Amino acid sequence: QAKETPHDEL
Amino acid sequence: MNFFRLLGDLSHLASILILLHKIKTTRSCRGLSFKTQALYVAVFITRYLDLTYRWVSLYNFVMKLFFIGSSCATLYLMRYKYCPTHDPSIDTFKIEYLVGPCAILALIFNYKFSVSEVLWSFSIFLESVAILPQLFMLQRTGEAETITTHYLAALGIYRAFYIPNWIYRYFTEGVVDPIAIVAGIAQTGLYLDFFYVYFTKVMQGEKFELPA
């Protein structure tokens, strides 16, 4: 199952 | 943070510095697509809205500010300071064909149907195709200044470095970001023709020229 995407990339 | 992502970010940073250097030293934005640069402003602003409400790290914060600031500065330089050197008659790609489909894709493919998440998806999709007006222009003129090709190469390589980063993150952290991965692979794919000419000609000291 997918983790919540943290959007920690640029 | 891992080695590949750092290399990617540094490459991205380098591309912008090369771009600004080109504009400043040649006092011209000849050969650059204003439309592509405008799309990057849209990409950075829609993606980095989270600057205002989420703290990731100092690195992340500074880079985001730099990308928004430098893309706006580039647009300013092209629009006002070196405006006469920009030739709109060859920068004719219709960006509606990019923005519209990206907006639709973002509404369909997103991690959560919220304003910030849809805008984030939109920025990822838009970034993957934002270079098209520039490549289209290059195709039309058939040649480019060497410094401009260095800019494009650094910009293209940046997303390519993210691909091993995603593979690495999958194995070490179990993180998978399918939207970014698919768009990132597509984005890198758009550069393949350019890379071919860049590595076989420009890196050998020849001028960037497309076969007629």
Side-chain angles (χ1 to χ4, degrees):
Chain A
Q1 84 164 49
K3 282 187 190 176
E4 190 173 334
T5 316
H7 294 333
D8 58 355
E9 293 178 348
L10 288 165
Chain B
M1 177 56 69
N2 61 62
F3 180 66
F4 302 112
R5 182 147 50 120
L6 183 63
L7 272 185
D9 289 345
L10 292 179
S11 177
H12 198 180
L13 201 62
S15 76
I16 292 168
L17 295 176
I18 295 170
L19 177 71
L20 291 171
H21 177 77
K22 176 240 162 359
I23 296 174
K24 282 283 177 189
T25 54
T26 64
R27 303 185 54 79
S28 149
C29 47
R30 197 165 67 88
L32 298 175
S33 164
F34 181 81
K35 291 182 175 180
T36 282
Q37 297 306 322
L39 290 177
Y40 282 126
V41 170
V43 164
F44 293 137
I45 290 178
T46 50
R47 189 176 314 164
Y48 298 156
L49 282 175
D50 66 352
L51 262 180
T52 53
Y53 60 86
R54 175 170 40 209
W55 179 261
V56 178
S57 64
L58 182 64
Y59 171 84
N60 190 278
F61 179 79
V62 171
M63 291 294 252
K64 283 175 173 172
L65 277 189
F66 177 79
F67 288 133
I68 293 176
S70 61
S71 62
C72 290
T74 305
L75 216 53
Y76 168 79
L77 291 175
M78 292 186 77
R79 183 73 182 80
Y80 298 103
K81 195 135 186 230
Y82 301 115
C83 180
T85 62
H86 173 253
D87 183 1
S89 69
I90 52 168
D91 190 12
T92 51
F93 196 94
K94 292 247 182 301
I95 56 172
E96 300 89 303
Y97 296 154
L98 302 178
V99 176
C102 287
I104 294 167
L105 280 176
L107 289 169
I108 302 170
F109 301 102
N110 53 66
Y111 294 123
K112 194 174 153 204
F113 200 73
S114 68
V115 173
S116 65
E117 284 296 314
V118 170
L119 284 176
W120 180 87
S121 279
F122 171 74
S123 83
I124 293 286
F125 293 130
L126 190 62
E127 184 191 341
S128 70
V129 292
I131 199 62
L132 284 175
Q134 177 68 65
L135 293 178
F136 183 69
M137 199 167 151
L138 205 61
Q139 197 72 245
R140 284 193 68 167
T141 52
E143 54 164 34
E145 292 168 68
T146 302
I147 183 113
T148 305
T149 65
H150 293 328
Y151 158 65
L152 287 170
L155 188 60
I157 289 166
Y158 132 71
R159 215 52 173 171
F161 275 128
Y162 263 71
I163 297 171
N165 153 66
W166 290 318
I167 297 170
Y168 180 86
R169 293 194 78 178
Y170 170 73
F171 287 110
T172 56
E173 302 165 48
V175 170
V176 183
D177 186 338
I179 293 176
I181 293 172
V182 171
I185 291 172
Q187 181 172 343
T188 304
L190 293 183
Y191 283 89
L192 292 181
D193 276 350
F194 169 81
F195 282 149
Y196 178 77
V197 181
Y198 183 77
F199 287 111
T200 57
K201 282 198 166 175
V202 181
M203 293 304 269
Q204 317 297 327
E206 290 177 50
K207 191 175 170 11
F208 184 95
E209 268 175 327
L210 295 173

